[in-house]
Amino acid sequence: MFGLMSDCLFCKIAAKQLPAKLVHEDPDTVAFEDTNPQAPTHVLVVPRKHVATLNDLGPEDEAVIGRLHRVAAQLAKERGFAERGWRAVMNCNREAGQTVFHLHLHLLGGRTFAWPPG
Ligand code: 5GP
Ligand code: ZN
């Protein structure tokens, strides 16, 4: 399996070895509903390839990082809040609150967000 890390939660979701509410699939990415949503829309967009953190990106990963953002924007348009606004968040390592060490973009939308973040 492409990039599959056998002990990784999001690799298993991408490979359909664990259940999730999938909202998007393509050859390079999958997106699914977060189980602990922090907004009316809280979707995680992940590369199928296992990359642990933003610190671990290689030059070959640049295209898929762009793809994550394009998938998020498409979902925001489909859900009707693209123009009102939405947030894309990628937490990197402990101080930022990363708890799952497979790269993921949080798509948050459907409410107003504070800045600066807490
Ligand atoms: P992080 O804190 O690493 O940036 O984000 C991890 C996210 O994954 C959290 O928002 C958390 O609610 C979500 N999450 C953790 N375990 C699962 C799971 O088994 N399924 C789904 N769909 N989301 C999960
Ligand atoms: Zn993984």
Side-chain angles (χ1 to χ4, degrees):
M1 184 62 69
F2 176 58
L4 182 65
M5 294 267 290
S6 59
D7 60 347
C8 172
L9 184 61
F10 290 173
C11 278
K12 286 183 175 170
I13 287 175
K16 299 190 179 169
Q17 292 174 1
L18 280 176
K21 285 189 192 165
L22 292 175
V23 298
H24 169 85
E25 288 187 82
D26 68 52
D28 298 318
T29 73
V30 300
F32 48 91
E33 303 283 353
D34 197 295
T35 47
N36 184 23
Q38 302 301 313
T41 282
H42 188 170
V43 166
L44 302 173
V45 192
V46 314
R48 289 187 186 275
K49 178 187 174 185
H50 181 86
V51 179
T53 81
L54 283 172
N55 292 336
D56 302 302
L57 289 169
E60 70 280 10
D61 301 317
E62 288 183 5
V64 80
I65 293 302
R67 180 88 195 124
L68 298 180
H69 291 79
R70 299 233 311 135
V71 169
Q74 183 60 43
L75 291 167
K77 289 172 193 168
E78 287 172 14
R79 293 179 180 215
F81 54 76
E83 295 306 319
R84 265 161 46 221
W86 53 283
R87 189 164 283 184
V89 174
M90 296 182 83
N91 297 321
C92 182
N93 278 339
R94 190 187 66 253
E95 287 196 1
Q98 186 175 4
T99 59
V100 176
F101 288 87
H102 177 127
L103 207 70
H104 50 282
L105 183 153
H106 296 257
L107 162 60
L108 295 153
R111 68 170 171 86
T112 298
F113 297 97
W115 191 264

